[in-house]
Structures are given as structure tokens and as C-alpha cells.
Amino acid sequence: MTPVRAASGEIACFISIATDVTERRRAEREVNLLVALMKAIAEAEDFDSALAVAISEICQATGWEYGEVWVPAAGNEALVLSPVWYGSGPASSAFRERTLGYTFARGHGLPGTVWERRAPAWHEDTSALSADVFPRSAIAATLGIRAGFGVPIIDRGDVLAVLGFFLLETREQDAEMVAIVSAVAAELGALVRRKRIEQQLAETTERLAVTLQSIGDGVITTDRHGMVERLNPVAESLTGWDQASAAGRPLSEVFSIVNEFSREPCESPVVRVLTTGRVAGLANHTVLLSRGGPEYVLNDSAAPIRDRDGNIHGVVLVFRDVTAEKRLEEELQKASQLESLGVLAGGIAHDFNNSLAAVVAHIGLVRLSFPEGSEAAHKLLGAEQACLRATSLTRQLLTFSRGGAPLRKAAAIPQLVRQSATFALTGSNVTCEFDFPRGLWHALVDEGQVGQVISNLAINAQQAMPAGGAIRISAENVEFEREGQVPGVPLGPGRFVRITVCDDGVGIPAEIIGRVFDPYFTTKQKGSGLGLAASYSIVRNHDGHIAVESEPGRGACFHLYFPAAGQPATSEAVPESAPTPATGRILFMDDEESIRRVIGELLRRFGHEVVLARDGAETVELYSRALETGRPFDLVLLDLTVPAGVGGKAAMEKLLSIDPGVRALVSSGYSNDPVMANFQSYGFKGVIAKPYTPDELLRIVNQSLAGTAP
């Protein structure tokens, strides 16, 4: 207010200028409201909480009594009422309650109209509208609800929700009000977009973390300077570094690699990737030196991590421990070499045993020409036994190289163990002490294979006592009433012969005692690691068990369990009694002329009529002709293996088709052939391995002719 004075100086009047600031104050309030809402929405944890803040603040700041939210239902075909709402009085609560259950299709009602148009809509008086335009008009009229408007929340062209506000009085469309709420809706849409991005990023990060945690390979990521950023659990285990300790360190410090043979440091694949920008792998024979001490043979690759513009931001290194695979590959190579050796050994053993068979047969035939007990007969018997010992060497070679089903028969353990252990220790500074009780059962074993086991254990014990000493070998009868009766012995029920071999050597450390039967495992510089593994295989193939107990510095004891044969035995070997000699017509087949000749002479000497055949084809022809002429053979002896001809197995199949009652024996210098171990399955009545003595041949021939062959 400004006074106006007259010429005399007196105040004549006052001039007052007034400015209407209503709109400015309103704009200020709206701006303040918008700022507060933006801040509250930005701080909201999720969409629903942001909606609740927006509805409440808008209603309280503008005086609108009721606010509601409509969201698309599953299938996006209708809007349903959201749990988020605001009401300032009983009319609002009643309106809310009577609105429950409503749904709106596109273009239907205020929410549906906003949804379809994707734009705000305003009603000055909802109670005056028809039910087609505002389906809740009757409810509004009853409760005094009048003005109302709706605003969509849009993100990327999709309506996420519709905000609705109502007054208890009519009001013309307020553009400012619509603008404020539309701005809030836009911010809510941005919030949803931001939350979606954050959620996708969080899900991606979680998937990456789960993948890194679950992957079976080691993974290390570095920055563009080669500093470690992340390790997964496998990488932590292999390197010996945990995530917290490794982060920020140079990769070369965490991932230390050297050449397996030269021990020279290897170039880091990460350095190569950062230099060249291309994928890089490790050189062959690369070993990772773990922080904890172990070493691992690795197979790996490293690749650059690039952004959208192609710039390198780091490197991901993926590596795998292939130590076991490499050892397996080496073992497979050894096994392949061993298999080749087995094929060679089989051929050598067959030819060698055939040659020995002729020698043993000739020696035996000559020995029979001298009186029993004479000096000449005694010397010839010694020569015969020396040849048989040479046979055991070929059997050990076969078992060592190829394995094979054992050719089992009842055997006296004392004689077998004494002979094998004494022979193995010949010329050494180690002696054997034996302890075999009377009444020890026979064991059902392949004498050649079990002899090899005893030899292996004796040699192993001798090597454990370089200064000399004594090996104690004992045996006893054991009987199990149930399986697992003795802890650590998975046998039973049944009767077994247990053989124990003990030494006073250096013993076996506890950390390796569980590996002594592993193939190729050895602590000796010149050892192959196959002796105990072969022994383990042999014992298992006999349905037995082998176990070891030891303490460093106190020697070792090996316990062998073999199934008992079922009959008791005396402490000394008792010769088998031959059945009453019988004569018969015998067809003998062998591809070696010297063997045919000497065996033919031997059998004729004992009264048999003998016809000789070179191979299986001639055998079948002679047998068929004998049946046709009414002079059948009483017994057929077939050599199993005939190079470039029909062998015993094929010949037996044809003989059985001609005469199902044929009586035949099978023989071979390759004693590990499955036919030898399971001869009855192929129709044979008996089996005899080459070389055999005249006594052994005559015994099984007599048994077969008498019908008592095993």
C-alpha cells in the first residue's frame, strides 16, 4: 500500500496493488508433491510399495478421498483390482468393498477405457453416468462418489496398471492434476523398467555365480591387467587359493604352471590372450603347482572378455585336472602292450609246451624201459620233473600277460608252496620256514597260477629284506558259517585253506597299504608294479581273497584264502591211485608228428589200439568211417589248437553231431584257453594240459575208458 499526498503534503489517498498468487502457490505445492513422490518412488523396493506411496501421497496432498489400482490379469484380457488402495473415509471404504469382484475388459468402465486408450480419462460426475460408461455409477450415487479420473502406467508400450482417483464432489477436468499424476505414472513406469533391469542383472549374476559354483572345471577371471578377480570352487581346490586371498593378485602368483619334465615355468595363457586378443591354450605337459603342494596335469584354454565395442576388459581361464585321465591313458598303453605280449606269450607257450610234450613223452617212454627204482629210472624221472618245472614258467608267463580262467583241481598245498617258494628264492640270502599242520585240506586251485602267487610273494618279501632273513609260510584250515564272519574277509559260507606269508622286512606305510594291489603301483625303482596286481587277480579268479597287514619296520604278512577241495589230505602228498588198467580203441589227434608218434607208441605199449590223425578234419573223417564199418573208437584225444587247420573245439562240435555219445579228451599247450577250464561245457569228458607225463596220460585214459574221468 502506497500513500498519495496533496500539494500541502497531507496524505490524500492510498494506492494498493494486489497480485493473485493462488496458481503460483498451487504450482509450488504440485512441484513439491512431484519432487517428494519422485524421491519416494525412487527409494521404493518394489512396484507395489511404490504404488502404495504414490496413491497415498497424491490423495493426501490433493484432497482426493479415494485411490485405487487396476492391473492386467493373467492372459492380459481383463483388469483386476490390486490390493494397493487408499481411502480417507467411510464412503471410500464402502466403495472399495463394493468394488471387489469387478473386472474390466478393454474399453469397459473408467479403468478399461484408460487401458484401451493408453491415455488419461476424466469424469466430472460418475453418479450421473450410465452403467455402460461407468458400471459402478449406482454404487457411486449411493455413496456420494462424484468426480473421478484414471491415468495409465506405461512401460515400453505396455500398460502395467491403471491408477484411479475419486472425490465426493463434482469437479471439472483439472489439467494440472492430470499432469501431476501422469508424471508420477511415468516415474512409476521408469521404476518398473529399472527394477526389471536390476532383476535381470541380478538373475544373470546369480546364474553366473551358480554356473561358476557348479561347473566341473576350474574357472579364473582376471581384469585387463591380469589381476585375479574371481575363482570358482574347483579353481580354489586346484590352486590352493581361496577367493578372498586370490582377488587382486597377479595370475602368475595364483596360477603357477611349469613343464612336467623340465620344470621350467610355462608362459601364462592369460598374458598371451591380452597380447594377441585371441583364444589361447596351454602347451602339452603343463603342470599346475598347487599352493598346498600337490601337482595337477592340466588341460585348459583362455579367452578374452570383450564389451559391446570389442574392447578387452579381462580374460576368463578355464582349466581341468586331467591327471587321472593321463594316468589311465598310460595304463591303457601298458595294457595294450601287455595284450600284445600275451598274444606272443600264448604262441610261445603253445609251441614250447608242444616241444616239451614230445621231450617228456620220450623221456617217460625210455624210463618205462628200466626197472622202477633203478639209477637210470631215477635220473630220467629227474629230467622229466625238470621239464615240468619249465612248463610252470610258461604258465606263469601266460597268467602274467593275459590272465585266463584257472584250470582248477584238488592240490596238496604243502608240496605246491614248498616247491614254488624254494624255486623263487634260489640263490638269494633269504630262507623259508614252513609250517603245515597234519590234516590240511586240499585246495581247489590251478597249481601253475597259485605257484606264481607264492613266487611273487616270496620275491616281494626277499626284496623287502636286502640284508637277508627268513620268510615264514604257514597254512591252516578255516571254515566260515556266514559271509563276512571275519571283518575284512568277504568270503563264506564255506571251507577254505588259508596260506600266510610273513617277512621281517621294512614293512608298508599306512598311507600306501591300500594301493599295493593296484596295477603298476610300486615303490621299487626296478619294479613293474604288476606282481601283486597279478596275484590279486589270480586269487579273485579262484573265488578266494588276499589281504595284507603291515607296520613300518615290522615286516608284512599276506593272507591268501583258497576254496577247499572237499576232502582232507595228509601232510604229505598222496599219489592218486589209478583205476584198473583197461584197453580200448583210441583215436589220437595232434598236429605235431613227433608227439603223434611217441604218444602212439606209448599207448600201444599198454595194449591200446591207436589210430593217429593230423588235424580235426582227418579226425572227423576217421571217426565217421569207424562208425560206418562197425569198429567205433572207445576214446578220442584232441589237440585244441591246430595252426591253419581244424582244431579240437571245432572237431568236437562235428563229432557230437555225428555221435552224441562220443567220449573225448581235450589237450593243449595253451592251458589258459577257456575250453580247458570249462571242458565239460564243450562236450569233453576230461582234460589234460601239455606237457604231460606218461603216468598222467595213462591215468586219465584209464579213467575215461572206465567212465570215471573227472
Side-chain angles (χ1 to χ4, degrees):
M1 179 179 294
T2 303
V4 178
R5 297 180 181 273
S8 62
E10 296 180 358
I11 297 175
C13 64
F14 291 90
I15 298 175
S16 178
I17 301 174
T19 303
D20 185 1
V21 296
T22 304
E23 291 301 323
R24 188 177 66 187
R25 296 288 179 86
R26 180 181 175 184
E28 289 175 353
R29 287 197 302 270
E30 290 174 351
V31 169
N32 292 335
L33 171 61
L34 191 57
V35 170
L37 282 172
M38 298 304 182
K39 180 180 179 182
I41 290 172
E43 294 175 352
E45 294 183 359
D46 53 44
F47 186 50
D48 284 347
S49 61
L51 282 176
V53 170
I55 291 289
S56 174
E57 291 294 329
I58 290 173
C59 288
Q60 293 181 45
T62 61
W64 287 67
E65 284 88 0
Y66 176 73
E68 63 184 11
V69 180
W70 297 85
V71 294
N76 212 34
E77 295 182 355
L79 293 176
V80 296
L81 195 60
S82 166
V84 178
W85 71 288
Y86 174 83
S88 61
S92 297
S93 299
F95 190 59
R96 170 74 182 184
E97 183 178 351
R98 297 178 68 174
T99 296
L100 295 174
Y102 272 81
T103 60
F104 294 102
R106 295 180 188 271
H108 185 218
L110 178 61
T113 300
V114 173
W115 187 20
E116 182 180 47
R117 296 177 182 175
R118 301 185 184 182
W122 187 287
H123 295 318
E124 293 183 9
D125 187 355
T126 58
S127 64
L129 299 174
S130 67
D132 292 336
V133 178
F134 192 77
R136 296 178 287 172
S137 60
I139 302 174
T142 302
L143 298 175
I145 301 296
R146 295 295 181 260
F149 75 96
V151 175
I153 298 175
I154 300 175
D155 177 45
R156 298 179 183 179
D158 295 329
V159 176
L160 305 178
V162 174
L163 305 181
F165 299 93
F166 296 90
L167 271 174
L168 296 179
E169 60 184 56
T170 60
R171 180 172 294 183
E172 294 180 356
Q173 181 169 341
D174 186 342
E176 295 295 334
M177 180 67 181
V178 172
I180 290 175
V181 177
S182 295
V184 172
E187 187 66 19
L188 287 169
L191 169 68
V192 171
R193 182 163 56 253
R194 186 171 68 252
K195 292 297 183 183
R196 282 180 173 176
I197 293 173
E198 291 175 356
Q199 183 176 1
Q200 291 173 356
L201 180 60
E203 291 175 352
T204 300
T205 304
E206 178 67 18
R207 282 196 300 270
L208 176 60
V210 170
T211 300
L212 289 177
Q213 294 288 328
S214 305
I215 194 171
D217 295 345
V219 179
I220 299 177
T221 59
T222 74
D223 62 17
R224 59 183 179 179
H225 302 295
M227 298 298 181
V228 174
E229 290 184 338
R230 181 182 295 273
L231 294 83
N232 73 340
V234 176
E236 289 180 333
S237 174
L238 293 177
T239 62
W241 289 81
D242 57 50
Q243 171 69 35
S245 302
R249 293 180 180 271
L251 178 70
S252 58
E253 184 177 343
V254 176
F255 190 72
S256 177
I257 50 178
V258 299
N259 182 275
E260 183 178 10
F261 304 111
S262 69
R263 313 305 291 180
E264 292 293 326
C266 294
E267 180 187 9
S268 170
V270 171
V271 172
R272 205 179 325 154
V273 170
L274 292 173
T275 303
T276 65
R278 295 193 297 269
V279 175
L282 285 177
N284 292 332
H285 310 298
T286 299
V287 173
L288 170 66
L289 303 180
S290 174
R291 188 184 188 187
E295 297 183 2
Y296 303 98
V297 181
L298 294 184
N299 182 11
D300 89 334
S301 64
I305 301 174
R306 299 181 184 271
D307 59 18
R308 291 182 178 180
D309 298 327
N311 299 317
I312 296 178
H313 277 249
V315 177
V316 58
L317 176 67
V318 181
F319 53 97
R320 177 180 301 172
D321 174 19
V322 294
T323 307
E325 288 87 340
K326 183 177 181 182
R327 299 293 180 261
L328 178 59
E329 182 180 349
E330 293 174 351
E331 290 185 10
L332 289 175
Q333 291 176 351
K334 292 179 181 179
S336 178
Q337 296 171 352
L338 197 58
E339 184 176 359
S340 300
L341 177 60
V343 174
L344 177 63
I348 293 174
H350 177 268
D351 294 343
F352 185 63
N353 283 340
N354 271 348
S355 300
L356 281 180
V359 172
V360 171
H362 278 94
I363 292 175
L365 189 60
V366 173
R367 178 171 58 83
L368 293 174
S369 302
F370 291 92
E372 187 175 354
S374 64
E375 183 178 357
H378 179 71
K379 290 183 178 180
L380 289 170
L381 180 61
E384 186 178 285
Q385 291 176 343
C387 290
L388 294 178
R389 280 197 296 272
T391 303
S392 69
L393 295 177
T394 63
R395 289 178 180 171
Q396 290 185 33
L397 177 62
L398 282 171
T399 303
F400 176 82
S401 303
R402 290 180 62 96
L407 191 60
R408 293 188 280 186
K409 64 179 181 179
I413 290 301
Q415 180 181 353
L416 173 61
V417 171
R418 279 196 182 98
Q419 182 178 353
S420 301
T422 302
F423 185 74
L425 297 173
T426 300
S428 73
N429 58 351
V430 174
T431 60
C432 274
E433 300 174 358
F434 301 101
D435 181 14
F436 301 116
R438 296 184 62 85
L440 187 66
W441 295 327
H442 276 65
L444 194 62
V445 296
D446 182 313
E447 294 187 24
Q449 291 189 8
V450 173
Q452 178 188 343
V453 173
I454 299 301
S455 296
N456 287 341
L457 294 180
I459 293 172
N460 197 65
Q462 181 263 326
Q463 292 175 342
M465 298 185 294
I471 300 174
R472 300 175 300 281
I473 303 179
S474 61
E476 61 181 320
N477 301 327
V478 294
E479 186 168 1
F480 300 129
E481 297 180 356
R482 65 182 186 280
E483 185 173 354
Q485 179 175 331
V486 176
V489 182
L491 297 175
R495 301 198 308 168
F496 297 85
V497 177
R498 178 170 63 196
I499 304 171
T500 300
V501 180
C502 294
D503 62 64
D504 296 321
V506 296
I508 305 172
E511 60 269 20
I512 66 170
I513 195 168
R515 301 179 58 195
V516 296
F517 298 117
D518 291 350
Y520 311 116
F521 177 79
T522 180
T523 58
K524 308 180 185 71
Q525 292 184 349
K526 297 182 179 180
S528 66
L530 285 171
L532 290 179
S535 300
Y536 178 86
S537 176
I538 290 171
V539 175
R540 290 292 299 271
N541 286 340
H542 278 78
D543 301 320
H545 179 68
I546 181 171
V548 60
E549 55 182 348
S550 175
E551 293 182 20
R554 303 186 64 178
C557 285
F558 287 84
H559 304 285
L560 311 172
Y561 295 81
F562 293 103
Q567 69 267 30
T570 60
S571 58
E572 298 297 331
V574 179
E576 298 182 51
S577 57
T580 303
T583 58
R585 194 161 187 262
I586 300 176
L587 176 57
F588 180 81
M589 183 271 280
D590 197 289
D591 62 309
E592 292 285 341
E593 182 181 356
S594 60
I595 295 178
R596 291 199 304 272
R597 186 172 60 250
V598 69
I599 297 301
E601 183 179 349
L602 176 64
L603 292 173
R604 292 188 187 101
R605 179 167 184 160
F606 284 87
H608 300 287
E609 181 183 350
V610 183
V611 176
L612 305 176
R614 291 184 299 274
D615 59 18
E618 186 178 8
T619 300
V620 174
E621 181 182 350
L622 292 172
Y623 193 89
S624 300
R625 192 183 307 162
L627 287 178
E628 293 172 358
T629 59
R631 299 188 67 238
F633 289 103
D634 300 306
L635 184 64
V636 181
L637 276 77
L638 296 173
D639 184 21
L640 184 60
T641 305
V642 177
V646 179
K649 178 183 175 183
M652 188 60 184
E653 293 174 354
K654 295 182 179 180
L655 291 178
L656 287 170
S657 65
I658 297 171
D659 178 14
V662 62
R663 182 176 296 172
L665 305 175
V666 63
S667 178
S668 178
Y670 192 7
S671 61
N672 284 45
D673 193 289
V675 177
M676 297 288 285
N678 304 285
F679 62 90
Q680 292 174 325
S681 300
Y682 298 89
F684 293 102
K685 304 300 181 183
V687 62
I688 183 169
K690 293 180 182 177
Y692 42 76
T693 66
D695 292 339
E696 291 173 334
L697 175 62
L698 293 173
R699 182 181 300 111
I700 194 168
V701 165
N702 289 339
Q703 289 175 342
S704 299
L705 292 174
T708 60

